[in-house]
Structure formats: structure tokens, C-alpha cells
């Protein structure tokens, strides 16, 4: 007996439609995987013969290797900058009771609301004056700004379901404030903090438009390099990179799901 | 005044001072994020806003009048609007059943299905754009399958045009609709639907009279999110539009990269941004946008 008194049978059309839509979402993401192992440079599906030549081409290319290394540095540094800053901001906003808390919470989301192209052009303009275009520092600080909302939103949600009285008890028993936070609060909100960090990392690693404006040459990130490659031709080397990125995003989602599961109440 | 009263007042003053100190410490914790936001977002965007009103070193509305006068700009606005409306409507029609199904599934199956929505959501946009190029091109997967099934004789022109752009955008936007909607649906108390059924409502009536209205906040949050993101699309039309589709964001990029015309680029950006804010505000007045901040699977 179904709990809504509607038999599954009469919902078949719903399941069918939803399954089609999910297929539409998933197929393009997984189709790049077999293509990247194709032996031919024609992007046929299914490939007639398999090989690792596109991965060899990828590993053999200094440009792609440099871009991957650049992206890794940028996103690791972005995560290192954005996670503590965003966590501190979420904590301050949670407890501060400022008159402007509502406005500040809205402003934190601004990077998601301002059209990215406008942000990119603005940063490019300011960086041109400061000489920060094509620098690691410039990329990291711009990406840190873009990923702040992910950290703040995630940690704020964690703090909402955390009982702050525990930190108060620790302090009333003589722990200093930083120690109370470090020893009592942080361990209990570590999963939201970690998922915020993960979101910051992946959003920086995948970021295209701002990087397109403020990075180039030897400072090109992986998406920046892909952008150029896609403009020229759609060869299977990109399928190989795409496969790596898909594996990365699957890993992210699985980690996020794991990090959220224990937080669920029975 | 008794000694106790004095002590109380001193104590109260001490507590107040402590509270003030704590509040400034909390403000100091919040500050660095806002410094970065200020330096990397508010100042740059504010500067562009300023530039949009300057022409040859003097105040001018030329950048704005150009948008009204030149037909080229009108067609860019129109294309962007058409794409955004089409993709938003399709996202709602296709996303609602997905969110609904996930909400109906038992927890384990729901979690797996949700993962299938989240994986494309977290896959780099360029990867997905590339995949669509491969799928939709003239001798691509979709055309070969359709031809081998005998549905079509000639390959369809599926990409490098409006159709391809819309398909690519739809793929990116559906999860943005599903996630807030599902978060809303999960919180709906199913007893309401059962009560409606026990009072004699048919499943269809119970859905439209009870369930759908309860899911409106999540639906509204998802819809407004999808629509405003659509307005700012750049990558997808750039690669899947094949030069036949120009959106506002693409024109902004062209103005900067090709013509070095900051004023023209900025004014377009300002219009885009203000429309975004206006739509967001309008929606939030019309619907109780439920936890729009939690979009993104958080």
C-alpha cells in the first residue's frame, strides 16, 4: 500500500518522464568517458577501437600540464583563503546580532547574483591598473571572493543546527573564547566547514569567465586553456581532460553526500 | 544607594562592556570577508557603473541611449530574453517531475537519484558544453542514432544555432530548479495530501489543490534563480550558438575585448545587473522565496 493511496502504477508516466530528464542530465556527462579512450580522432560513438593516445597526448603536452598545475595551485590557495575567512564571517554573522546582519547576509551572496561577466570585466579593469592581471595572487584573491558565498552558506547552515550553549559552557568553565571555539564548536561544525571548503575548491577549479579575463599565457588555468582549445577544434584531448574533470566532480558529489549524511536527524 | 545596588550597577556596566567587546570581536571576524568582497566586487562593479556614464571625460548618457536607438542592441536583448524565458519554462516543466519523483522515493533511492542530478551540476561547464558539441554536431551521436533508427534521413542542424544553445542551457539550469524545489518538497507534510484524499479528493485534485501550492516557495526560488542565471549566460551561447546567437554577456565581452569600449560594456552590464535585481525583488514580493540561500545543494 502506497502511503498516499496512489498506486505506483498510476505514477508510471511521472517516473518515465523524470527518468528521461535524468538521462538528459547524465548522458552528456558520461559520454565523454568512452570518447576519451577512442583510438580515432573522429569523435564517433561508440568508438571503433580503444587506446590511451589522448591521455598520452595530454601528459606529453607542457601547456596542458602547466595549466593543470596552475589550476591546482589557484584552487588550493583559494580554498585556504576562503575557508577560514568564510567560516569566521559565518560565525560573526551568526552571533553578532548586528543591526545590518540581514543586509550583510545578502551582500555575501552578491558574487552569485552579480552577472559573472560584469564581475570579470570589473576585476580585469581594476587589475589592469594595479598590474595584477596574469598573476597567481590576482587569480587567488578573485576566486576567493567568488567562492566565499559557498563557505558562508554552508557554515551558516551548520551553525544553525549547532547548540551554541555548549561553547558558552566551555567558556564559563574557564576556557578562553578561541579555545572554546577551537575545541568545542569547530569539531562539531567540521562537516559543513569541509563541504564549504570542497565547494570553494571545485568552484575555483571550474571557474572560466573571470579566469578568461585575468589570466593568460603561462598563468592560464585549465578551464582557460580549454576555452581556447574548444574555440579552435573539438579534438579528443579535451575528452580526456573532461573525463578527469568528470571523475573529479563525481568524487566531489560523493564526498559531499558522505559529509552530509551524519548531520541528518533520524 | 546601598552597597549591593552599587555593585549591581558596576556589574551591569561590566557586562555591557563585555558584550560590546564581544560584539566588536565578532565584527572583526566578519570584516575580512567583506574587505575582499569590497575590493574584488563592489569597487570594480561600482567603478564600471561610474564609467558607463562617462564619455570622452564628461558625463553622458550616450551609452544608454545607444541601447535604445540601435536595432543591433534590441535584437541582443530580445535574443537573451527569448532564450531565458524558453529555458526557464522548460526547466520548470522538466524539473518539477524530477523533484517530485525524488521526493516520493524511499530515502536510499532518493539519495542515489539526487546524486545523478548533482553530478552534472558540479561538472565543469566547459566539459558539458564540449559534450553537447560532440553529441549534437552534424555527424554527432544524436544525429547518427536518429538516422540509424530511420527517424530522419538527413542530419538535423542541432548545434551552432539557437536550438543548440537552448539545449545546452537547459542542461545546466534543470538542477538549479530541482535542488531548491526538492528541498521544499521534502519538508512538505504528506499528511495534508492524505487528509485531502480521505476527504474524497482524487489524486489529481489533491495534487493541484494541496501539494502544488505547498511547493510554490521552492518552485519560485528555483524559477527566479534559473531566470536570472539565464540572463547572464556567456559560455554556452558562445560555443553552441555558432555566432548566430549573441547574448548580453557576449556583447559585453566583445565591447571590452574587440573595441576596448569600457563605457558600452559597463552600461550593458549595469542594465543586466539592474534587471537581475529587479526580477529578484519582484519575485520576492510575489512569493515567499524559501531559503533561496540554500540553492547549490547546501
Amino acid at each position: 500500500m502506497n502511503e498516499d493511496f496512489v498506486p505506483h502504477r498510476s505514477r508510471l508516466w511521472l517516473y518515465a518522464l523524470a527518468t528521461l530528464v535524468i538521462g538528459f542530465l547524465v548522458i552528456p556527462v558520461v559520454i565523454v568517458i568512452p570518447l576519451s579512450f577512442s583510438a580515432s580522432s573522429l569523435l564517433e560513438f561508440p568508438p571503433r577501437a580503444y587506446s590511451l593516445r589522448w591521455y598520452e597526448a595530454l601528459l606529453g603536452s607542457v601547456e596542458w600540464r602547466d595549466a593543470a598545475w596552475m589550476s591546482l595551485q589557484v584552487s588550493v590557495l583559494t580554498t585556504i583563503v576562503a575557508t577560514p575567512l568564510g567560516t569566521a564571517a559565518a560565525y560573526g554573522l551568526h552571533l553578532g546580532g548586528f543591526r545590518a546582519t540581514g543586509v550583510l547576509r545578502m551582500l555575501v551572496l552578491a558574487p552569485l547574483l552579480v552577472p559573472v561577466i560584469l564581475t570579470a570585466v570589473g576585476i580585469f579593469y581594476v587589475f589592469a591598473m594595479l598590474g595584477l592581471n596574469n598573476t597567481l595572487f590576482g587569480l587567488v584573491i578573485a576566486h576567493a571572493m567568488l567562492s566565499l558565498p559557498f563557505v558562508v552558506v554552508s557554515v551558516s547552515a551548520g551553525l544553525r543546527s549547532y547548540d551554541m550553549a555548549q561553547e558558552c559552557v566551555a567558556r564559563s568553565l574557564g576556557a578562553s573564547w578561541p579555545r572554546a571555539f577551537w575545541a568545542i564548536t569547530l569539531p562539531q561544525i567540521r562537516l559543513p566547514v569541509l563541504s564549504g571548503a570542497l565547494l570553494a575548491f571545485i568552484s575555483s577549479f571550474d571557474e572560466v569567465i573571470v579566469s578568461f579575463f585575468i589570466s593568460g599565457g603561462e598563468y592560464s588555468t585549465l578551464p582557460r586553456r580549454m576555452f581556447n582549445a574548444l574555440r579552435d577544434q573539438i579534438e579528443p584531448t579535451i575528452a580526456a581532460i573532461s573525463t578527469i574533470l568528470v571523475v573529479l566532480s563525481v568524487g566531489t558529489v560523493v564526498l559531499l553526500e558522505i559529509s552530509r549524511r551524519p548531520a541528518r536527524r533520524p | 544607594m546601598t552597597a549591593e545596588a552599587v555593585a549591581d550597577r558596576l556589574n551591569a556596566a561590566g557586562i555591557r562592556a563585555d558584550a560590546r567587546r564581544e560584539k566588536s570581536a565578532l565584527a572583526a571576524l566578519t570584516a575580512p570577508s567583506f574587505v575582499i568582497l569590497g575590493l574584488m566586487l563592489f569597487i570594480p562593479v561600482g567603478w564600471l557603473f561610474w564609467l558607463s556614464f562617462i564619455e570622452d571625460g564628461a558625463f553622458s548618457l550616450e551609452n544608454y541611449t545607444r541601447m535604445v536607438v540601435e536595432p543591433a542592441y534590441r535584437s541582443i536583448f530580445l535574443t537573451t530574453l527569448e532564450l531565458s524565458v524558453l529555458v526557464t519554462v522548460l526547466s520548470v516543466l522538466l524539473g518539477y517531475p524530477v523533484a517530485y519523483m525524488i521526493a516520493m522515493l524511499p530515502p536510499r533511492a532518493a539519495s542515489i537519484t539526487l546524486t545523478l542530478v548533482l553530478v552534472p551540476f558540479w561538472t565543469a561547464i566547459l566539459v558539458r558544453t564540449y559534450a553537447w558539441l560532440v553529441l549534437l554536431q552534424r555527424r554527432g551521436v544524436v544525429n547518427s542514432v536518429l538516422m540509424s533508427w530511420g527517424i530522419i534521413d538527413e542530419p538535423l542542424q542541432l548545434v551552432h544555432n539557437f536550438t543548440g544553445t537552448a539545449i545546452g542551457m537547459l542542461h545546466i539550469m534543470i538542477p538549479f530548479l530541482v535542488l531548491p524545489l526538492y528541498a521544499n518538497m521534502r519538508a512538505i507534510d504528506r499528511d495534508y495530501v492524505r487528509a485531502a484524499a480521505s476527504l474524497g479528493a482524487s489524486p489529481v485534485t489533491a495534487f493541484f489543490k494541496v501539494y502544488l501550492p505547498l511547493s510554490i516557495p521552492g518552485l519560485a526560488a528555483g524559477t527566479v534563480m534559473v531566470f536570472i542565471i539565464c540572463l547572464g549566460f556567456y559560455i554556452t551561447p558562445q560555443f553552441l550558438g555558432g555566432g548566430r546567437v549573441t547574448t548580453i554577456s557576449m556583447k559585453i565581452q566583445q565591447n571590452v575585448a574587440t573595441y576596448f569600449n569600457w563605457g558600452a560594456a559597463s552600461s550593458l552590464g549595469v542594465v543586466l545587473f539592474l534587471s537581475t535585481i529587479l526580477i529578484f525583488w519582484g519575485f520576492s514580493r510575489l512569493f515567499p522565496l524559501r531559503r533561496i540561500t540554500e540553492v547549490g545543494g547546501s
Side-chain angles (χ1 to χ4, degrees):
Chain A
M1 186 67 197
N2 187 276
E3 52 178 327
D4 288 337
F5 311 105
V6 180
H8 278 294
R9 207 166 356 100
S10 44
R11 287 226 177 93
L12 271 185
W13 65 272
L14 169 77
Y15 297 149
L17 178 58
T19 308
L20 280 179
V21 176
I22 288 170
F24 170 78
L25 290 178
V26 172
I27 288 170
V29 173
V30 295
I31 199 114
V32 296
I33 299 171
L35 288 176
S36 71
F37 293 103
S38 166
S40 130
S41 60
L42 293 171
L43 288 157
E44 349 159 79
F45 185 87
R48 266 172 237 177
Y50 292 89
S51 82
L52 287 174
R53 62 184 278 208
W54 305 112
Y55 289 89
E56 282 159 16
L58 199 59
L59 288 174
S61 151
V62 180
E63 283 194 339
W64 284 114
R65 256 190 350 236
D66 283 355
W69 174 231
M70 192 58 184
S71 271
L72 199 64
Q73 289 179 73
V74 171
S75 24
V76 167
L77 290 172
T78 297
T79 312
I80 292 174
V81 173
T83 310
L85 288 189
T87 305
Y91 184 81
L93 288 173
H94 184 68
L95 289 182
F98 310 118
R99 218 170 304 155
T101 299
V103 178
L104 291 176
R105 282 200 184 278
M106 202 64 201
L107 286 180
V108 169
L109 295 181
L112 301 177
L113 290 177
V114 179
V116 194
I117 194 87
L118 189 62
T119 313
V121 172
I123 295 177
F124 178 59
Y125 189 80
V126 171
F127 276 12
M129 285 184 291
L130 299 174
L132 283 175
N133 282 320
N134 294 329
T135 62
L136 182 62
F137 177 77
L139 272 169
V140 169
I141 191 159
H143 279 187
M145 179 275 291
L146 289 171
S147 40
L148 268 178
F150 296 112
V151 181
V152 175
V153 167
S154 176
V155 176
S156 295
L159 286 170
R160 265 199 300 277
S161 58
Y162 166 70
D163 185 1
M164 203 44 84
Q166 299 173 57
E167 193 180 287
C168 295
V169 170
R171 289 178 67 189
S172 76
L173 291 172
S176 69
W177 195 1
R179 186 167 154 69
F181 173 79
W182 195 257
I184 306 295
T185 304
L186 190 58
Q188 297 194 58
I189 58 164
R190 67 183 189 282
L191 292 173
V193 172
L194 280 178
S195 76
L198 201 57
L199 297 180
F201 178 85
I202 198 88
S203 72
S204 162
F205 201 83
D206 288 347
E207 203 286 324
V208 199
I209 299 180
V210 172
S211 309
F212 176 66
F213 277 88
I214 67 168
S215 85
E218 57 174 323
Y219 288 98
S220 294
T221 62
L222 198 57
R224 175 79 177 81
R225 186 72 71 194
M226 274 179 85
F227 189 99
N228 279 1
L230 267 179
R231 222 163 22 182
D232 300 339
Q233 81 279 41
I234 50 173
E235 47 156 284
T237 322
I238 305 178
I241 298 174
S242 298
T243 302
I244 298 171
L245 292 178
V246 167
V247 169
L248 196 72
S249 63
V250 171
T252 308
V253 172
V254 169
L255 277 176
L256 280 175
E257 278 296 297
I258 292 171
S259 81
R260 263 166 215 163
R261 197 146 299 159
R264 268 186 212 143
R265 302 268 151 76
Chain B
M1 208 181 273
T2 64
E4 281 99 44
V6 172
D8 273 355
R9 284 181 64 171
L10 280 176
N11 206 1
I15 287 172
R16 270 200 301 277
D18 269 355
R20 265 199 306 276
R21 258 202 305 280
E22 297 229 328
K23 203 160 181 170
S24 21
L26 289 167
L29 283 175
T30 315
S33 288
F34 286 94
V35 170
I36 288 200
L37 283 169
L39 291 177
M40 290 293 107
L41 188 65
F42 304 134
I43 290 178
V45 170
W47 204 310
L48 292 184
F49 189 84
W50 169 253
L51 279 179
S52 72
F53 292 103
I54 304 289
E55 194 69 42
D56 298 324
F59 177 83
S60 147
L61 286 175
E62 198 193 315
N63 288 318
Y64 291 92
T65 47
R66 189 189 305 119
M67 279 183 229
V68 186
V69 179
E70 278 187 30
Y73 276 88
R74 217 169 307 155
S75 95
I76 290 168
F77 283 122
L78 213 61
T79 306
T80 309
L81 196 65
E82 273 172 16
L83 265 177
S84 305
V85 170
L86 177 71
V87 170
T88 307
V89 169
L90 288 175
S91 297
V92 169
L93 293 179
L94 299 177
Y96 199 98
V98 174
Y100 189 59
M101 180 178 85
I102 302 177
M104 294 296 147
L105 288 173
R108 225 188 130 66
S111 156
I112 292 168
T113 319
L114 194 63
T115 306
L116 292 179
V117 176
L118 283 170
V119 165
F121 184 74
W122 284 112
T123 300
I125 287 200
L126 278 176
V127 170
R128 293 191 271 165
T129 305
Y130 171 73
W132 281 115
L133 273 175
V134 172
L135 282 166
L136 297 176
Q137 63 184 323
R138 214 178 142 71
R139 287 183 303 157
V141 179
V142 173
N143 270 324
S144 6
V145 168
L146 290 178
M147 277 164 75
S148 69
W149 287 353
I151 297 172
I152 51 170
D153 301 322
E154 284 285 297
L156 298 172
Q157 176 73 39
L158 293 170
V159 75
H160 301 306
N161 56 17
F162 190 88
T163 313
T165 308
I167 293 174
M169 282 172 68
L170 189 61
H171 184 248
I172 294 167
M173 295 324 303
I174 287 177
F176 277 93
L177 189 100
V178 171
L179 297 174
L181 183 57
Y182 168 66
N184 181 163
M185 285 175 168
R186 207 171 50 171
I188 293 177
D189 190 341
R190 300 269 284 279
D191 280 345
Y192 291 126
V193 181
R194 266 171 238 148
S198 75
L199 292 169
S202 72
V204 175
T205 315
F207 174 79
F208 281 103
K209 292 260 178 193
V210 179
Y211 196 85
L212 185 63
L214 286 171
S215 67
I216 290 288
L219 185 62
T223 308
V224 69
M225 199 75 195
V226 168
F227 191 71
I228 63 180
I229 295 176
C230 279
L231 288 178
F233 255 79
Y234 172 72
I235 303 283
T236 314
Q238 174 78 33
F239 287 109
L240 301 179
R244 293 191 185 85
V245 180
T246 308
T247 61
I248 300 176
S249 290
M250 288 166 72
K251 188 69 187 169
I252 294 175
Q253 192 269 336
Q254 286 167 15
N255 276 333
V256 170
T258 318
Y259 309 113
F260 292 102
N261 193 338
W262 297 93
S266 307
S267 57
L268 268 176
V270 167
V271 169
L272 181 61
F273 181 43
L274 292 182
S275 335
T276 306
I277 294 293
L278 209 66
I279 291 163
F280 196 77
W281 178 81
F283 254 81
S284 66
R285 291 301 298 268
L286 283 175
F287 304 100
L289 294 186
R290 183 179 172 279
R291 291 188 289 172
I292 196 152
T293 56
E294 287 176 30
V295 171
S298 302

